[in-house]
Structure formats: C-alpha cells, structure tokens
Amino acid sequence: MSRKQDLCQEVIFNEYFNQMFDETVAPVQLDTSEADEPKTPKTQWISEKSDGKLACSYCQVIFPDVQVQREHYKLDWHRYNLKQSLGEKSSVTEEEFNQKTANDDISSISGSDSEEEENSLDTYATAQGKMFLKNKSGQIFSLYKCIFISNKKQEVSEINYYKKFKETCQDNKQWTILMLGGGHFAGAVFDYLTPVVHKTFHCYTVRAGQGGSQSSKDGKSGGSHPKSAGASLRRYNEQALVDHVTKILSSWSEEIKKSSLVFFRASGPYNRGVLFGGKEPLLDRTDPRLRPIPFSTGRATYAEVKRVHFELCTASVYGSLSEAVSQFAQQKTPERDSRRGKVRTINRAKSREVVERPLPGAPSESNSDDEQEANIVSALLEVSFEGLEEFTDSLTPEQRSLRKKKPKKSKNQKLKEKEEARKKNLIDIASKGNVLLLEEVLNERLKTFDHMSKESVAQECFNEALDNDGNSFLHLAAMNEHEDLLQYLLNNQADPCLKNKNQHTPYTCTTSKLSREVFKKFAKENPDKYNYNKAHIPTNALTEEELAEKKRAQRKVKRVKEKEKKKENHLKQQEEDHKQRFLNLSDREKRALAAERRIMNVQGKVIARCFLCGVDIAGKVPFEYLDNRFCSIDCLKGHRMKSTQKV
C-alpha cells in the first residue's frame, strides 16, 4: 500500500520505518471513547436538600426512606452511572438512560460486554499479542510486544523502546525462527528478509488415530510398553528426531549466535524437551533473545516459517490516533466474534411487576354449593398364595462354584510373569542406552550375591539372553548404536562371541561404523581375552599411524615406477629420432654412413640399418642389391619400386 494513506503495512527493517521510529516513541493506552466524547472530571454532588438526608451522589437523587434507597441501588440506571464514574465521565438522568435503553440497547449496561472495553486499544492489543506505540509526529505503530519484552514480569513503562528497537531491528537484522511439533521440524535464519540457512524434515512419531507421542504413551503404560512394529518405529524416530535437530542446530550455532532474536514454537513437553532438555540443551532457557511465537501457527514447514517471520517483522502504521481507533474498531475480538444470533433484551430500568400467587398449601376459595362430594368406595380382595413355588436355580452346584471363584495363578506362572517383566525392563534399558540404570542393576545384583566377585556377577548378568531371539545386552546395544553402552559392557565381562538364534554376533548385528570401531579397539587392547575370529571381529585392522605409513610407502613405489616409465619413454623417443634422421638420408648418404660406422667400430659393434625402414640389422643377414641392404625382401621390393618411379 502507499505510504501516503493513513494506514499502511511496513517492514520494520526498512529505512523509512526506522526514520519514523524515533527516540520519543512511547506506548499508547487510550480508549476509543476519547475520540467521541471528552472526559469530564467528576465533581462531588452536594445538594442543599441532601443535607442530613438519604441521597445517591452518582445519580444525584434524594430518597425519602431507606427502602427506596435500597431499591435504587438495584437499578441498572445506578449501575450505569457507577460505571460512568469509574471512567471519569458525567452521569446521566433517568430520562436519558430510558432513552438509551428504549431501543433495547443494553450493551453499555453490563461491565463484561461494554463497548468501551471491547473497543479499547489495550484489549485489542492483548488479543493480538501486540502493542501500540506513538511517536512525536502523532503516528501510531502496531508491533508485536515480544520484539521488545522478553520477561512477562517486566513493566511496560520501564522499557526503552528506541534502544530495544535499535538493538534487535536496526543494528542486527538477523533473526532465527524454529518450529517443532508432531514430528515436523522447520527452521531458518533470516538476515533482513533473506534466508541465510533453512531446513525442514519429518519423522513418524505421532500415533495415528489416537494422537500423542510414543514416549508419552510409554510413560503412561508403566513397565509394559507396546510391542507393535509401529511403536518400535516411533521410538526409533523420536531418537532420530532428537539427533537430527541436534545436528542441525549445532551446524547453525554460529548463525544463531549472530541473531538478535530467536523465536521458537515447541508444543508439548516432549517437543520442549528436545530444545531445552538434556545435560547440554540446544537452547538456553535464560537466553534473553528467546521469544515464543505470539500467535497460532500451522504445521512446521518452510512456507510457514517464512510467513511467521514476515508477520513478526511487519508493523501497521496509522496516520493518527483517531484513524487507529476507527481502523481497529471495525475489527472484531475473539469474544465479539463468538456471539452468534440476537441477544434477548430486557428493559431492566423498569421495576418488575409483583404478582401475588397463592401458596402451594393454601386452600382455594370456591363455592361449596358447586362442588360435589366424592364418595370413597372400599372393597376387600382375597389374595391366594397357593400358586407360589420355591425359587429354582438353573445352574448346577459345580457351575455356581466356578462362577464365584476366580481362577488363581499358580506359583510358577507368577514367577514366569515376574521374570518376563524383569527382562522387559532390561530390554528397555539396553534399547535406550541408559548406562546409569544398567549400573544400578549391576549394583543390586551385587548386593543379592555378595559372596561372588564383581566379575562373576557381571559375566552372569550381562551375558543373559533377554528376548525370544536370544539377543544379549551387547546385541541390543549394537543394534541401537549406543557406543557408550557398548564400551561399558565390554569392560564389564560382556562376551562379544555370543550368538543369537540367527547366528549373529554383536559385531555383525550393527552397520554403524562407530559401533564397530568400539569392538575393534577393544579387541586390539585385549588381544588374548576372547576368540575374536569366533566373534567375527577383524583383529588385523591397522591403526591410523600404520595406515599413514602404508600410504606413504605406496606413494613412494608409485613415484619410482613413474620415474622408470618416464626414462623408458625417453629412450624410445631418442630411438625414434635417430631412426627418422636415418630415413631422411639419401641412399648414397646411407651407404657412406654405413661405411663410416664400419671404419669407426672395427673393434666394437657395427650399427647397420635397413635402407628403407631404418630398422637395426646388425647381426642379421641382409638382403642386398647394388650395395643396398635391407632387413626383409619386402623392403627390398619397396626400394626397387621407389627407384623405378624416380627414373
């Protein structure tokens, strides 16, 4: 919209808005009634006739007795004037009040439904999470309150709005938006209106149909957690969600530190635990830059994050106070929108008519001549009990005894259920990777078997098959990729050679590189403790230093080979050069060169070449004609044909 209009939407980062937001900006707290009716100071009403008599100073009337005064205090006229007095407005007479209520307009009578309260700037600002500010030019700004206020207990009058605005919107225009809910994560860091980094992803963590996260369901179910495939998938995805969010925010740590404000939405204790829970929380609750998003949002998507950012950094600019009042008065608050249909109105200014009704027990007055006396007729009836029979039960005594007695569980069945519950608890501990709880289990077992050593108890405790597949603690820890738990178990007599029913060892159960490194490191530090070939753990794995030395040796061998190959290529090139120079000679020059070589190398090797192709024919029987020598008969024929063509 154009800036010349009385109302426009401005991005608070713009230079135009920064010029309007000067040091004189202060909050506005004013009702709309100021634009229509000026406040008149309340003056004390003193009547000469009221001296020593009963009177109402709000309505300015005198009463003859106490009963009339009490009735007056119950009238809506008195309540209306009382409300006018609280607002420092003048009172109205009874005739004026009757005119106001003649058209069934009673909206101004009730304190909860008053127009002044509904149409006040403060009420509208509270409903929208905003606040209204005014500069020296009389312009009104509507901004979200969370941009300036971080603490709910902080007073509005104590804030330096220009300083806060300069810190968060002028000097540093980088904001961070984070949204988490229902397994959806969306986040972005904006510099002005441009996203610097952004990321969205979704994990299946919410129970379809029933809603709620799997962790909350497990917390309510006690020790017996659901065993379905969906429940297991949701538990895994909850941990994956935490890992993904941790990884993303860790990679964004530098950008988040640069941000002047960090807005977040994390609905529910689980989502807030992702951001603020744990020993090292991703976000610090005491960070003064943290702000919850002050309005309702949709699903966490990148489009929603951009919408939230644009909504937060957009301000409404009104030309004047009267214009602001007229603009927001047209909008409806949630309470006003919730009213549907017409309200039944009653003129409460008039007294209710007294209708005399007879008491419930009082006899009504009537002519006794018109009434007829009722004759009461009595008769004697004989009742016979001859047809009654004794109650018969259709159940046999055995069936009746079975219905009364509940089947009792045998001792073996109780022990079996107790053992299953114990193994479920241990499986849950191993699946979550809780080392502290596992230490408590070991300490309790040590107290029970105090006559045994710690190594024996740990070996018996941690090498137990926990589920129907024969998986031990090491199997479960390796499947769930808990490296700390793996290290703790291996240091406390857990056997890596154990196999489950599928003949898999703990090492082969995991595909995690970090988990396998834990096994390799333990095997290298304890080479004689277990048969690592049986455990399928490679023991010939090289250390980082050994790998570096091996690579250096390979590079050295490669350099030597390249040097030899280069030398060989150089010799071949020299040979080709000599060969080409020989071929460029005429036949006479070739014969002269051959004769010269023979003379020079009487005592040594004589180099002789074919007159056509230039191949070395030393030590071979050449093919000759006219003192021309060749390596083969084909070269001889080719030379003769060449000589013939020249002739």
Side-chain angles (χ1 to χ4, degrees):
M1 298 179 66
S2 175
R3 292 173 180 170
K4 295 181 181 180
Q5 297 179 357
D6 292 330
L7 170 63
C8 64
Q9 301 289 333
E10 287 289 345
V11 177
I12 60 179
F13 301 129
N14 290 341
E15 187 65 29
Y16 174 76
F17 187 81
N18 294 339
Q19 293 175 1
M20 292 189 295
F21 203 97
D22 53 20
E23 298 181 358
T24 62
V25 167
V28 178
Q29 295 180 355
L30 188 63
D31 287 350
T32 57
S33 57
E34 294 182 354
D36 303 327
E37 179 182 350
K39 292 185 178 179
T40 58
K42 176 186 172 184
T43 59
Q44 186 176 4
W45 177 74
I46 301 175
S47 176
E48 296 178 355
K49 299 180 180 180
S50 66
D51 295 340
K53 295 183 180 181
L54 302 175
C56 177
S57 61
Y58 297 106
C59 300
Q60 301 180 5
V61 293
I62 302 173
F63 309 108
D65 54 18
V66 177
Q67 187 65 29
V68 177
Q69 185 183 24
R70 290 176 180 173
E71 292 294 333
H72 171 77
Y73 289 155
K74 298 178 182 179
L75 296 177
D76 291 328
W77 172 39
H78 173 74
R79 290 203 298 270
Y80 180 81
N81 283 333
L82 180 61
K83 185 182 174 187
Q84 290 287 98
S85 175
L86 294 175
E88 297 183 359
K89 300 175 184 178
S90 60
S91 60
V92 297
T93 62
E94 188 174 5
E95 290 76 11
E96 293 174 348
F97 180 74
N98 290 335
Q99 290 178 1
K100 284 180 175 288
T101 58
N103 298 325
D104 294 336
D105 183 15
I106 62 168
S107 60
S108 60
I109 298 174
S110 174
S112 60
D113 296 334
S114 64
E115 292 180 356
E116 287 82 6
E117 182 177 350
E118 283 185 350
N119 293 340
S120 65
L121 288 175
D122 293 339
T123 304
Y124 177 68
T126 303
Q128 301 293 328
K130 295 184 177 181
M131 66 186 307
F132 289 84
L133 302 173
K134 181 178 180 182
N135 64 359
K136 62 182 179 181
S137 301
Q139 292 177 310
I140 307 297
F141 311 112
S142 172
L143 294 90
Y144 280 96
K145 189 184 296 184
C146 59
I147 297 175
F148 306 98
I149 300 175
S150 60
N151 189 1
K152 294 182 179 179
K153 298 180 181 180
Q154 191 174 6
E155 293 293 333
V156 177
S157 59
E158 298 176 355
I159 302 173
N160 188 341
Y161 292 94
Y162 179 76
K163 182 179 178 182
K164 282 281 187 182
F165 182 81
K166 186 175 178 60
E167 291 175 355
T168 58
C169 303
Q170 289 185 2
D171 298 340
N172 187 0
K173 301 178 182 180
Q174 184 163 312
W175 288 4
T176 299
I177 311 292
L178 301 175
M179 297 175 64
L180 182 64
H184 294 265
F185 171 82
V189 178
F190 295 87
D191 188 2
Y192 186 63
L193 296 178
T194 305
V196 180
V197 289
H198 64 89
K199 181 68 176 179
T200 59
F201 67 86
H202 169 241
C203 291
Y204 169 59
T205 61
V206 178
R207 305 169 68 238
Q210 300 180 4
S213 62
Q214 187 62 41
S215 58
S216 62
K217 176 65 176 177
D218 294 343
K220 294 177 182 178
S221 61
S224 57
H225 299 328
K227 298 180 179 179
S228 63
S232 302
L233 180 60
R234 287 189 292 272
R235 292 190 193 99
Y236 175 81
N237 287 340
E238 284 180 352
Q239 185 61 38
L241 176 67
V242 176
D243 295 338
H244 288 163
V245 175
T246 303
K247 185 177 180 181
I248 291 171
L249 296 188
S250 299
S251 62
W252 292 1
S253 59
E254 295 298 326
E255 297 296 337
I256 295 176
K257 287 179 182 178
K258 297 177 184 177
S259 303
S260 59
L261 292 177
V262 179
F263 296 91
F264 70 93
R265 191 212 74 181
S267 57
Y270 169 74
N271 295 316
R272 286 193 295 271
V274 174
L275 296 179
F276 303 104
K279 296 181 180 179
E280 296 180 1
L282 302 177
L283 298 178
D284 187 5
R285 290 182 182 271
T286 60
D287 191 347
R289 302 175 301 159
L290 281 181
R291 304 284 194 277
I293 297 175
F295 48 84
S296 59
T297 60
R299 177 176 291 177
T301 60
Y302 179 52
E304 185 67 6
V305 168
K306 291 193 293 184
R307 186 191 74 83
V308 168
H309 178 259
F310 185 77
E311 182 72 15
L312 288 170
C313 66
T314 303
S316 299
V317 182
Y318 304 89
S320 62
L321 178 60
S322 59
E323 186 64 27
V325 169
S326 62
Q327 286 290 338
F328 93 85
Q330 298 174 2
Q331 305 186 28
K332 297 181 179 180
T333 57
E335 293 81 9
R336 197 169 182 178
D337 292 337
S338 63
R339 300 198 203 101
R340 299 299 175 119
K342 295 183 179 180
V343 181
R344 182 187 174 189
T345 59
I346 302 173
N347 190 354
R348 300 183 184 276
K350 299 180 180 179
S351 301
R352 183 180 296 179
E353 297 180 0
V354 179
V355 180
E356 295 183 359
R357 297 182 178 87
L359 296 175
S364 61
E365 297 181 0
S366 60
N367 295 328
S368 59
D369 296 339
D370 298 336
E371 294 181 354
Q372 297 180 357
E373 295 182 357
N375 295 326
I376 301 175
V377 179
S378 62
L380 296 176
L381 298 177
E382 294 183 359
V383 180
S384 176
F385 298 95
E386 294 179 357
L388 297 179
E389 297 180 359
E390 185 180 359
F391 174 76
T392 57
D393 192 359
S394 60
L395 298 177
T396 62
E398 292 79 7
Q399 292 175 341
R400 197 158 42 250
S401 62
L402 290 175
R403 288 185 62 182
K404 291 181 180 179
K405 296 180 180 179
K406 294 182 179 180
K408 294 184 178 180
K409 297 180 181 179
S410 63
K411 187 176 181 180
N412 292 334
Q413 191 174 0
K414 290 181 180 179
L415 292 175
K416 185 177 180 181
E417 291 180 355
K418 188 176 180 180
E419 182 67 15
E420 289 179 355
R422 184 186 69 85
K423 288 188 175 182
K424 277 184 183 179
N425 186 30
L426 296 177
I427 291 173
D428 186 56
I429 293 173
S431 300
K432 293 181 178 179
N434 198 326
V435 180
L436 297 177
L437 289 179
L438 202 60
E439 284 183 330
E440 292 180 2
V441 171
L442 180 60
N443 294 332
E444 291 178 1
R445 187 68 67 90
L446 287 173
K447 292 178 182 178
T448 306
F449 303 97
D450 53 354
H451 60 282
M452 298 175 62
S453 63
K454 182 178 180 180
E455 289 76 11
S456 302
V457 174
Q459 185 175 4
E460 181 182 356
C461 179
F462 294 149
N463 294 324
E464 177 184 7
L466 298 178
D467 55 9
N468 297 329
D469 294 331
N471 293 318
S472 64
F473 276 102
L474 276 178
H475 286 91
L476 296 175
M479 290 176 184
N480 293 278
E481 301 178 4
H482 297 307
E483 290 78 17
D484 296 338
L485 185 60
L486 284 174
Q487 190 65 47
Y488 174 78
L489 291 170
L490 291 172
N491 293 336
N492 286 275
Q493 309 302 319
D495 191 359
C497 300
L498 293 176
K499 295 183 179 180
N500 56 16
K501 291 185 178 180
N502 296 325
Q503 300 301 313
H504 291 310
T505 62
Y507 181 84
T508 57
C509 280
T510 181
T511 57
S512 173
K513 186 177 180 180
L514 296 176
S515 300
R516 292 196 169 187
E517 287 297 328
V518 173
F519 284 106
K520 292 177 182 177
K521 184 178 178 181
F522 179 80
K524 192 165 186 178
E525 293 175 353
N526 304 275
D528 301 328
K529 191 169 185 178
Y530 299 103
N531 185 359
Y532 298 108
N533 291 330
K534 186 178 179 181
H536 299 163
I537 301 175
T539 56
N540 57 351
L542 300 177
T543 61
E544 295 182 359
E545 293 79 5
E546 293 174 344
L547 287 173
E549 184 64 29
K550 184 177 179 181
K551 289 181 179 179
R552 283 196 295 270
Q554 291 175 350
R555 286 195 295 269
K556 186 176 180 181
V557 171
K558 185 177 180 180
R559 285 196 299 269
V560 171
K561 289 183 178 179
E562 290 177 352
K563 190 175 180 180
E564 292 178 353
K565 188 173 182 180
K566 187 176 181 181
K567 186 177 180 180
E568 183 179 352
N569 292 335
H570 181 67
L571 294 175
K572 286 184 178 180
Q573 185 65 32
Q574 285 183 344
E575 177 65 21
E576 288 293 330
D577 293 342
H578 293 315
K579 180 178 176 181
Q580 191 63 34
R581 283 196 298 270
F582 182 79
L583 292 176
N584 292 334
L585 299 174
S586 62
D587 293 343
R588 183 176 179 181
E589 291 173 341
K590 291 176 183 176
R591 289 192 293 271
L593 181 62
E596 184 180 358
R597 291 285 177 86
R598 283 196 299 272
I599 295 171
M600 293 178 64
N601 298 289
V602 175
Q603 301 295 330
K605 180 181 178 182
V606 177
I607 298 176
R609 295 184 181 274
C610 176
F611 282 21
L612 183 66
C613 64
V615 176
D616 187 7
I617 57 175
K620 297 181 180 179
V621 177
F623 296 88
E624 299 181 0
Y625 87 95
L626 299 177
D627 296 332
N628 298 326
R629 296 187 175 191
F630 306 95
C631 62
S632 63
I633 193 65
D634 294 331
C635 290
L636 188 146
K637 291 181 179 179
H639 188 270
R640 293 182 71 178
M641 293 294 294
K642 187 176 179 181
S643 301
T644 305
Q645 291 176 358
K646 288 181 180 181
V647 174

